Coordinates of all heavy atoms in Angstrom, one line a residue:
M1 N 0.8 -1.2 0.0 CA -0.1 0.0 0.0 C 0.9 1.3 0.0 O 0.5 2.3 -0.5 CB -0.9 0.0 1.2 CG -2.2 -0.8 1.0 SD -3.4 -0.1 -0.1 CE -4.1 1.1 0.9
S2 N 2.0 1.2 0.7 CA 2.8 2.4 0.8 C 3.4 2.7 -0.5 O 4.2 2.0 -1.1 CB 3.8 2.3 1.9 OG 4.7 1.2 1.4
K3 N 3.1 4.0 -0.9 CA 3.6 4.5 -2.2 C 4.9 5.2 -1.9 O 5.0 6.1 -1.0 CB 2.6 5.4 -2.8 CG 2.9 5.9 -4.2 CD 1.9 6.9 -4.6 CE 2.6 8.0 -5.4 NZ 1.9 9.2 -5.3
K4 N 6.0 4.9 -2.7 CA 7.2 5.6 -2.5 C 7.2 7.0 -3.0 O 6.7 7.2 -4.2 CB 8.3 4.8 -3.2 CG 9.3 4.2 -2.2 CD 10.6 3.7 -2.9 CE 11.8 3.4 -2.0 NZ 12.8 2.8 -2.7
K5 N 7.6 7.8 -2.2 CA 7.6 9.3 -2.7 C 8.7 9.5 -3.7 O 9.9 9.1 -3.4 CB 7.7 10.2 -1.5 CG 6.5 10.4 -0.8 CD 6.6 11.2 0.5 CE 5.4 11.2 1.3 NZ 5.6 11.8 2.6
T6 N 8.4 10.2 -4.7 CA 9.4 10.7 -5.6 C 10.3 11.8 -5.0 O 9.9 12.4 -4.1 CB 8.8 11.2 -7.0 OG1 8.1 12.2 -6.7 CG2 8.0 10.0 -7.5
K7 N 11.4 12.0 -5.6 CA 12.3 13.1 -5.1 C 11.6 14.4 -5.1 O 11.7 15.3 -4.2 CB 13.6 13.1 -5.8 CG 14.7 13.7 -5.0 CD 16.0 13.8 -5.8 CE 17.1 14.4 -4.9 NZ 18.4 14.6 -5.6
T8 N 10.9 14.7 -6.2 CA 10.2 15.9 -6.4 C 9.2 16.1 -5.2 O 9.1 17.3 -4.7 CB 9.4 16.0 -7.7 OG1 10.3 15.4 -8.7 CG2 9.2 17.5 -8.1
E9 N 8.5 15.1 -4.9 CA 7.5 15.3 -3.9 C 8.0 15.7 -2.5 O 7.6 16.4 -1.8 CB 6.6 13.9 -3.7 CG 5.5 13.9 -4.7 CD 4.8 12.5 -4.7 OE1 5.3 11.5 -4.4 OE2 3.6 12.6 -4.9
Q10 N 9.2 15.0 -2.3 CA 10.0 15.3 -1.0 C 10.4 16.7 -1.0 O 10.4 17.4 0.0 CB 11.1 14.3 -0.9 CG 10.7 12.9 -0.4 CD 11.8 12.0 -0.3 OE1 12.9 12.3 -0.9 NE2 11.6 10.9 0.3
E11 N 10.9 17.2 -2.2 CA 11.4 18.5 -2.2 C 10.3 19.5 -2.0 O 10.5 20.6 -1.4 CB 12.0 18.8 -3.6 CG 13.5 18.3 -3.7 CD 14.0 18.4 -5.1 OE1 13.4 18.8 -6.0 OE2 15.2 18.0 -5.2
I12 N 9.1 19.3 -2.6 CA 7.9 20.2 -2.4 C 7.6 20.2 -0.9 O 7.4 21.3 -0.2 CB 6.7 19.6 -3.2 CG1 7.1 20.0 -4.7 CG2 5.4 20.4 -2.7 CD1 6.1 19.2 -5.6
E13 N 7.6 19.0 -0.2 CA 7.3 19.0 1.2 C 8.2 19.9 2.0 O 7.8 20.6 2.9 CB 7.4 17.6 1.7 CG 6.0 16.9 1.6 CD 6.1 15.5 2.3 OE1 7.0 15.2 3.0 OE2 5.2 14.7 2.0
V14 N 9.5 19.8 1.7 CA 10.5 20.6 2.5 C 10.2 22.1 2.2 O 10.3 22.9 3.1 CB 11.9 20.2 2.0 CG1 12.9 21.2 2.5 CG2 12.3 18.8 2.4
Q15 N 9.9 22.4 0.9 CA 9.6 23.8 0.6 C 8.4 24.3 1.4 O 8.4 25.4 2.0 CB 9.2 24.0 -0.9 CG 10.6 24.1 -1.8 CD 10.2 24.4 -3.2 OE1 9.1 24.3 -3.6 NE2 11.3 24.7 -3.9
V16 N 7.4 23.5 1.5 CA 6.2 23.9 2.3 C 6.5 24.1 3.7 O 6.1 25.1 4.3 CB 5.1 22.8 2.1 CG1 3.9 23.1 3.1 CG2 4.5 22.8 0.6
R17 N 7.3 23.2 4.3 CA 7.7 23.3 5.6 C 8.5 24.7 5.9 O 8.2 25.4 6.9 CB 8.6 22.1 6.1 CG 7.8 21.2 7.0 CD 8.7 20.0 7.4 NE 8.1 18.8 6.7 CZ 8.9 17.8 6.3 NH1 10.2 17.9 6.5 NH2 8.4 16.7 5.7
E18 N 9.4 25.0 4.9 CA 10.1 26.2 5.1 C 9.2 27.4 5.1 O 9.4 28.4 5.7 CB 11.2 26.3 4.0 CG 12.4 25.4 4.3 CD 13.4 25.3 3.2 OE1 13.1 25.8 2.1 OE2 14.5 24.8 3.4
E19 N 8.2 27.4 4.1 CA 7.3 28.5 4.1 C 6.5 28.6 5.4 O 6.4 29.8 5.9 CB 6.2 28.3 3.0 CG 6.9 28.7 1.6 CD 6.0 28.3 0.4 OE1 4.8 28.3 0.7 OE2 6.6 28.1 -0.7
I20 N 6.1 27.6 6.0 CA 5.4 27.6 7.3 C 6.4 28.3 8.3 O 6.0 29.1 9.1 CB 5.0 26.3 7.7 CG1 3.8 25.8 6.8 CG2 4.4 26.2 9.2 CD1 3.5 24.4 6.8
T21 N 7.6 27.8 8.4 CA 8.5 28.4 9.3 C 8.8 29.9 9.1 O 8.8 30.7 10.1 CB 9.9 27.7 9.2 OG1 9.7 26.4 9.0 CG2 10.8 28.0 10.4
E22 N 8.7 30.4 7.9 CA 8.9 31.8 7.6 C 7.7 32.6 8.1 O 7.8 33.6 8.6 CB 9.1 32.0 6.1 CG 10.6 31.9 5.8 CD 10.9 32.1 4.2 OE1 10.2 32.9 3.6 OE2 11.8 31.4 3.7
Q23 N 6.5 32.0 7.9 CA 5.3 32.6 8.4 C 5.3 32.8 9.9 O 4.9 33.8 10.4 CB 4.1 31.8 7.9 CG 3.7 32.0 6.4 CD 2.6 31.1 6.0 OE1 2.1 30.3 6.6 NE2 2.0 31.4 4.8
K24 N 5.8 31.8 10.5 CA 5.9 31.9 12.0 C 6.8 33.0 12.3 O 6.6 33.7 13.4 CB 6.4 30.5 12.6 CG 5.2 29.5 12.8 CD 5.7 28.3 13.3 CE 4.6 27.3 13.5 NZ 5.1 25.9 13.9
K25 N 7.9 33.2 11.7 CA 8.9 34.2 12.0 C 8.3 35.6 11.8 O 8.5 36.5 12.6 CB 10.1 34.1 11.0 CG 11.1 33.0 11.5 CD 12.3 32.9 10.5 CE 13.2 31.8 10.8 NZ 14.1 31.6 9.8
Q26 N 7.4 35.7 10.8 CA 6.7 37.0 10.5 C 5.7 37.3 11.6 O 5.5 38.4 11.9 CB 6.1 36.9 9.2 CG 7.0 37.1 8.0 CD 6.4 36.8 6.6 OE1 5.3 36.4 6.5 NE2 7.2 37.0 5.6
D27 N 5.1 36.2 12.2 CA 4.1 36.5 13.2 C 4.9 37.0 14.5 O 4.2 37.6 15.4 CB 3.4 35.1 13.5 CG 2.4 34.9 12.4 OD1 2.1 35.8 11.7 OD2 1.9 33.8 12.3
E28 N 6.1 36.7 14.8 CA 6.8 37.0 16.0 C 6.8 38.4 16.4 O 6.5 38.8 17.5 CB 8.2 36.4 16.1 CG 8.1 34.9 16.4 CD 9.5 34.2 16.4 OE1 10.5 34.9 16.4 OE2 9.5 33.0 16.3
P29 N 7.0 39.3 15.4 CA 7.1 40.7 15.8 C 5.8 41.2 16.4 O 5.8 42.1 17.2 CB 7.4 41.4 14.5 CG 8.2 40.5 13.7 CD 7.5 39.1 14.1
E30 N 4.7 40.7 15.9 CA 3.3 41.1 16.3 C 3.2 40.7 17.8 O 2.8 41.4 18.7 CB 2.3 40.4 15.6 CG 2.0 41.1 14.2 CD 0.9 40.5 13.4 OE1 -0.1 40.1 14.1 OE2 1.1 40.4 12.2
K31 N 3.7 39.5 18.2 CA 3.6 39.0 19.6 C 4.4 39.9 20.4 O 4.1 40.1 21.6 CB 4.0 37.6 19.7 CG 3.0 36.5 19.2 CD 3.6 35.2 19.2 CE 2.7 34.2 18.5 NZ 3.3 32.9 18.3
Q32 N 5.6 40.3 19.9 CA 6.5 41.1 20.7 C 6.0 42.5 21.0 O 6.3 43.2 22.0 CB 7.9 41.2 20.0 CG 8.7 39.9 20.0 CD 10.0 40.0 19.3 OE1 10.1 40.9 18.4 NE2 10.8 39.0 19.4
Q33 N 5.0 42.9 20.2 CA 4.4 44.2 20.4 C 3.6 44.2 21.7 O 3.3 45.2 22.4 CB 3.5 44.6 19.3 CG 4.3 45.1 18.1 CD 3.4 45.4 16.9 OE1 2.2 45.2 16.9 NE2 4.0 45.8 15.8
K34 N 3.1 43.0 22.1 CA 2.3 42.9 23.3 C 3.3 42.8 24.4 O 3.8 41.7 24.8 CB 1.5 41.6 23.1 CG 0.1 41.8 23.6 CD -0.6 40.4 23.5 CE -2.2 40.6 23.8 NZ -2.8 39.4 23.8
K35 N 3.6 43.9 25.0 CA 4.6 43.8 26.1 C 4.0 44.1 27.4 O 3.1 44.9 27.5 CB 5.8 45.0 25.8 CG 6.8 44.4 24.8 CD 7.9 45.4 24.7 CE 9.0 44.8 23.7 NZ 10.1 45.8 23.5
W36 N 4.6 43.6 28.4 CA 4.1 43.7 29.7 C 5.2 44.2 30.6 O 6.4 43.9 30.5 CB 3.7 42.3 30.3 CG 2.6 41.7 29.4 CD1 2.7 40.9 28.3 CD2 1.1 41.9 29.6 NE1 1.4 40.5 27.8 CE2 0.5 41.2 28.6 CE3 0.4 42.6 30.5 CZ2 -0.8 41.1 28.4 CZ3 -1.1 42.5 30.4 CH2 -1.7 41.8 29.4
A37 N 4.8 45.0 31.6 CA 5.7 45.6 32.5 C 5.5 44.9 33.9 O 4.3 44.9 34.3 CB 5.6 47.1 32.6
F38 N 6.6 44.5 34.5 CA 6.4 43.8 35.8 C 7.3 44.6 36.8 O 8.4 45.2 36.4 CB 6.9 42.4 35.7 CG 6.0 41.6 34.8 CD1 6.4 41.3 33.6 CD2 4.7 41.1 35.2 CE1 5.7 40.5 32.7 CE2 3.9 40.3 34.4 CZ 4.4 40.1 33.1
P39 N 6.9 44.7 38.0 CA 7.8 45.3 39.1 C 9.1 44.6 39.1 O 9.1 43.4 39.2 CB 6.9 45.3 40.3 CG 6.0 44.2 40.0 CD 5.7 44.2 38.6
T40 N 10.2 45.4 39.2 CA 11.5 44.8 39.2 C 11.7 44.1 40.6 O 12.4 43.1 40.7 CB 12.6 45.8 38.9 OG1 12.4 47.0 39.7 CG2 12.7 46.1 37.4
V41 N 11.1 44.8 41.6 CA 11.2 44.2 43.0 C 9.8 43.8 43.4 O 8.8 44.5 43.3 CB 11.8 45.2 43.9 CG1 11.9 44.6 45.3 CG2 13.2 45.7 43.6
S42 N 9.7 42.5 43.8 CA 8.5 42.0 44.2 C 8.7 41.2 45.5 O 9.6 40.4 45.8 CB 7.9 41.1 43.2 OG 6.7 40.5 43.6
K43 N 7.7 41.6 46.4 CA 7.8 41.0 47.8 C 7.1 39.7 47.8 O 6.0 39.5 47.2 CB 7.2 41.8 48.8 CG 8.2 42.9 49.4 CD 7.5 43.6 50.6 CE 8.5 44.7 51.1 NZ 7.9 45.3 52.3
C44 N 7.7 38.7 48.5 CA 7.1 37.4 48.6 C 5.9 37.6 49.5 O 5.9 38.1 50.6 CB 8.1 36.4 49.3 SG 7.3 34.8 49.8
P45 N 4.7 37.1 49.0 CA 3.4 37.3 49.9 C 3.5 36.4 51.2 O 2.7 36.7 52.1 CB 2.3 36.8 49.0 CG 3.0 36.5 47.6 CD 4.4 36.4 47.8
R46 N 4.3 35.5 51.3 CA 4.4 34.7 52.4 C 5.3 35.1 53.6 O 4.9 35.4 54.6 CB 4.7 33.2 52.0 CG 4.5 32.3 53.2 CD 5.3 30.9 53.0 NE 4.5 29.8 52.5 CZ 5.0 28.7 52.0 NH1 6.3 28.5 52.0 NH2 4.2 27.7 51.6
C47 N 6.6 35.4 53.1 CA 7.5 35.8 54.1 C 8.0 37.3 53.9 O 8.6 37.8 54.9 CB 8.8 34.9 54.0 SG 9.8 35.1 52.6
G48 N 7.6 37.9 52.9 CA 7.8 39.3 52.7 C 9.2 39.7 52.2 O 9.5 40.9 52.2
T49 N 10.0 38.7 51.9 CA 11.3 39.1 51.4 C 11.3 39.6 50.0 O 10.4 39.3 49.3 CB 12.3 37.9 51.6 OG1 13.6 38.3 51.1 CG2 11.9 36.8 50.6
T50 N 12.2 40.4 49.6 CA 12.3 40.9 48.2 C 13.2 40.0 47.4 O 13.4 40.2 46.3 CB 12.7 42.3 48.1 OG1 13.9 42.5 49.0 CG2 11.8 43.3 48.7
E51 N 13.7 39.0 48.1 CA 14.7 38.0 47.3 C 13.8 37.0 46.5 O 13.7 35.9 46.8 CB 15.5 37.2 48.3 CG 16.6 38.1 49.0 CD 17.2 37.3 50.2 OE1 17.6 36.1 49.9 OE2 17.2 37.8 51.3
T52 N 13.2 37.5 45.4 CA 12.3 36.7 44.6 C 12.9 36.7 43.2 O 13.4 37.8 42.7 CB 10.9 37.2 44.7 OG1 10.8 38.5 44.2 CG2 10.3 37.0 46.0
K53 N 12.6 35.6 42.5 CA 13.1 35.5 41.1 C 12.0 35.2 40.2 O 11.2 34.3 40.5 CB 14.2 34.5 41.1 CG 15.1 34.5 39.9 CD 16.2 33.5 39.9 CE 15.7 32.2 39.2 NZ 16.7 31.2 39.2
A54 N 12.0 35.8 39.0 CA 11.0 35.4 38.0 C 11.4 34.2 37.3 O 12.5 34.0 36.9 CB 10.9 36.6 36.9
T55 N 10.5 33.2 37.3 CA 10.8 31.9 36.8 C 10.2 31.8 35.4 O 10.8 31.1 34.6 CB 10.2 30.8 37.7 OG1 8.9 31.0 37.9 CG2 11.0 30.7 39.0
H56 N 9.1 32.4 35.2 CA 8.3 32.2 33.9 C 7.3 33.4 33.7 O 6.8 33.9 34.6 CB 7.6 30.9 33.9 CG 6.7 30.7 32.7 ND1 7.3 30.4 31.4 CD2 5.4 30.8 32.5 CE1 6.3 30.2 30.6 NE2 5.1 30.5 31.2
T57 N 7.3 33.9 32.4 CA 6.4 34.9 32.0 C 5.4 34.5 31.0 O 5.8 33.9 29.9 CB 7.1 36.1 31.5 OG1 8.1 36.5 32.6 CG2 6.2 37.3 31.3
D58 N 4.1 34.6 31.3 CA 3.1 34.2 30.3 C 2.7 35.4 29.5 O 2.0 36.3 30.0 CB 1.9 33.6 31.0 CG 0.9 32.8 30.1 OD1 0.9 33.3 28.9 OD2 0.2 32.0 30.5
G59 N 3.2 35.5 28.3 CA 2.9 36.7 27.4 C 1.5 36.8 27.0 O 1.0 37.9 26.7
K60 N 0.7 35.8 27.0 CA -0.7 35.9 26.7 C -1.5 36.5 27.7 O -2.4 37.4 27.5 CB -1.2 34.4 26.3 CG -0.9 34.0 25.0 CD -1.5 32.6 24.7 CE -1.0 32.0 23.4 NZ -1.5 30.6 23.2
T61 N -1.3 36.1 29.0 CA -2.2 36.6 30.0 C -1.5 37.8 30.8 O -2.1 38.4 31.6 CB -2.4 35.5 31.0 OG1 -1.3 35.0 31.5 CG2 -3.3 34.4 30.4
G62 N -0.2 38.0 30.5 CA 0.6 39.0 31.2 C 0.9 38.7 32.6 O 0.8 39.6 33.5
T63 N 1.1 37.4 32.9 CA 1.3 37.0 34.2 C 2.7 36.6 34.4 O 3.3 35.9 33.5 CB 0.4 35.9 34.6 OG1 -0.9 36.2 34.2 CG2 0.5 35.5 36.1
Q64 N 3.4 37.0 35.4 CA 4.8 36.6 35.7 C 4.8 35.8 36.9 O 4.1 36.1 37.9 CB 5.6 37.9 35.9 CG 7.1 37.6 36.0 CD 8.0 38.7 36.4 OE1 7.8 39.3 37.5 NE2 8.8 39.2 35.4
Y65 N 5.4 34.6 36.7 CA 5.5 33.7 37.8 C 6.8 33.8 38.6 O 7.9 33.9 37.9 CB 5.3 32.2 37.3 CG 3.9 32.1 36.7 CD1 3.8 32.2 35.4 CD2 2.9 31.7 37.5 CE1 2.6 32.1 34.8 CE2 1.6 31.6 36.9 CZ 1.4 31.7 35.6 OH 0.2 31.6 35.0
R66 N 6.7 34.0 39.9 CA 7.9 34.2 40.7 C 8.1 33.2 41.7 O 7.1 32.6 42.2 CB 7.9 35.6 41.2 CG 7.8 36.7 40.2 CD 7.9 38.1 40.8 NE 9.3 38.4 41.3 CZ 10.2 39.0 40.6 NH1 9.9 39.5 39.4 NH2 11.4 39.2 41.0
Q67 N 9.4 33.1 42.1 CA 9.6 32.1 43.2 C 10.5 32.8 44.2 O 11.4 33.5 44.0 CB 10.3 30.9 42.7 CG 10.4 29.8 43.8 CD 11.3 28.7 43.4 OE1 12.4 29.0 42.9 NE2 10.9 27.4 43.6
C68 N 10.1 32.6 45.5 CA 10.8 33.1 46.7 C 12.2 32.4 46.7 O 12.2 31.2 46.6 CB 10.0 33.0 48.0 SG 10.9 33.5 49.3
Q69 N 13.2 33.2 46.9 CA 14.6 32.6 46.9 C 15.0 32.1 48.2 O 16.1 31.6 48.4 CB 15.6 33.6 46.2 CG 15.3 33.8 44.8 CD 15.4 32.6 43.9 OE1 16.4 31.9 43.7 NE2 14.2 32.1 43.5
R70 N 14.2 32.4 49.3 CA 14.7 32.0 50.6 C 14.4 30.5 50.7 O 13.3 30.0 50.4 CB 13.7 32.7 51.6 CG 14.3 34.0 52.2 CD 13.6 34.4 53.4 NE 14.2 35.6 54.0 CZ 13.7 36.3 54.9 NH1 12.5 35.9 55.4 NH2 14.3 37.4 55.3
A71 N 15.5 29.9 51.2 CA 15.6 28.4 51.2 C 14.4 27.8 52.1 O 13.9 26.8 51.8 CB 16.9 27.9 51.6
I72 N 14.1 28.6 53.1 CA 13.0 28.1 54.0 C 11.6 28.3 53.5 O 10.6 27.9 54.0 CB 13.1 28.7 55.4 CG1 13.2 30.3 55.3 CG2 14.3 28.2 56.3 CD1 12.7 31.0 56.5
C73 N 11.5 29.1 52.4 CA 10.2 29.5 51.9 C 9.9 28.9 50.6 O 9.1 28.0 50.4 CB 10.1 31.0 51.9 SG 8.4 31.6 51.4
R74 N 10.7 29.3 49.6 CA 10.5 28.8 48.2 C 9.1 28.9 47.7 O 8.6 28.1 47.0 CB 11.0 27.4 48.0 CG 12.5 27.3 48.3 CD 13.3 27.5 46.9 NE 14.7 27.6 47.2 CZ 15.6 28.1 46.3 NH1 15.2 28.4 45.1 NH2 16.9 28.2 46.6
Y75 N 8.4 29.9 48.0 CA 6.9 30.1 47.7 C 6.8 30.5 46.3 O 7.5 31.4 45.8 CB 6.4 31.1 48.7 CG 4.9 31.4 48.5 CD1 4.1 30.3 48.9 CD2 4.3 32.6 48.0 CE1 2.7 30.4 48.8 CE2 3.0 32.7 48.0 CZ 2.2 31.7 48.4 OH 0.8 31.9 48.2
N76 N 6.0 29.9 45.6 CA 5.6 30.3 44.1 C 4.4 31.0 44.1 O 3.4 30.7 44.7 CB 5.4 28.9 43.3 CG 6.8 28.3 43.1 OD1 7.7 28.8 42.4 ND2 7.0 27.1 43.7
Y77 N 4.5 32.2 43.5 CA 3.3 33.1 43.2 C 3.4 33.7 41.9 O 4.3 33.7 41.2 CB 3.2 34.0 44.5 CG 4.3 35.1 44.5 CD1 4.1 36.3 44.0 CD2 5.6 34.7 45.0 CE1 5.2 37.2 44.1 CE2 6.6 35.6 45.0 CZ 6.4 36.9 44.5 OH 7.4 37.8 44.6
S78 N 2.3 34.3 41.5 CA 2.2 35.0 40.2 C 1.9 36.5 40.4 O 1.3 37.0 41.4 CB 1.1 34.4 39.3 OG -0.2 34.5 39.9
V79 N 2.5 37.3 39.5 CA 2.4 38.8 39.6 C 1.7 39.2 38.3 O 2.0 38.8 37.2 CB 3.6 39.5 39.7 CG1 3.5 41.0 39.7 CG2 4.4 39.1 41.0
K80 N 0.7 40.0 38.4 CA 0.0 40.5 37.2 C 0.7 41.7 36.6 O 1.1 42.6 37.3 CB -1.5 40.9 37.5 CG -2.5 39.8 37.3 CD -3.0 39.9 35.9 CE -3.8 38.7 35.5 NZ -4.0 38.6 34.1
G81 N 1.0 41.7 35.3 CA 1.7 42.7 34.8 C 0.8 43.9 34.2 O -0.4 43.6 34.0
T82 N 1.4 45.0 33.9 CA 0.6 46.1 33.3 C 1.1 46.2 31.8 O 2.2 46.1 31.5 CB 0.9 47.4 34.0 OG1 2.3 47.5 34.3 CG2 0.1 47.4 35.3
K83 N 0.1 46.4 31.0 CA 0.3 46.4 29.6 C 1.1 47.7 29.1 O 0.7 48.9 29.7 CB -1.0 46.4 28.8 CG -0.9 45.6 27.5 CD -2.3 45.3 27.0 CE -2.3 44.5 25.7 NZ -3.5 44.3 25.1
V84 N 2.0 47.6 28.3 CA 2.9 48.8 27.8 C 2.3 49.2 26.5 O 2.2 48.4 25.6 CB 4.3 48.4 27.8 CG1 5.1 49.6 27.3 CG2 4.9 48.0 29.2
Ligands
ZN1 ZN1 9.0 33.7 50.8

C-alpha cells in the first residue's frame, strides 16, 4: 500500500515546511508588540522578602510567575503585569 515518494514530492514537502517556518517568523514581531511591565522588585506574599526571582512569564495573560529565593520558603506566586 505504501507509495514511495518521488524526489520531487519530497522537495515540495521541504519547501512547504520552510514556508510555514517563515510565516511563523513573521508572526513573532506582532507578539513582541504585546509587552508587559512587571515590577523589578516583588515581595514574597508569604515571608515578605524581596529576594524573589521570576521563573516564567506568560505573554498571553501578562502574568509573571515568581519564586521566593529563601531556602526556608521557596513560595511560588504570580504577579499581574501592566500592559505597555
Ligand atoms: Zn518567601
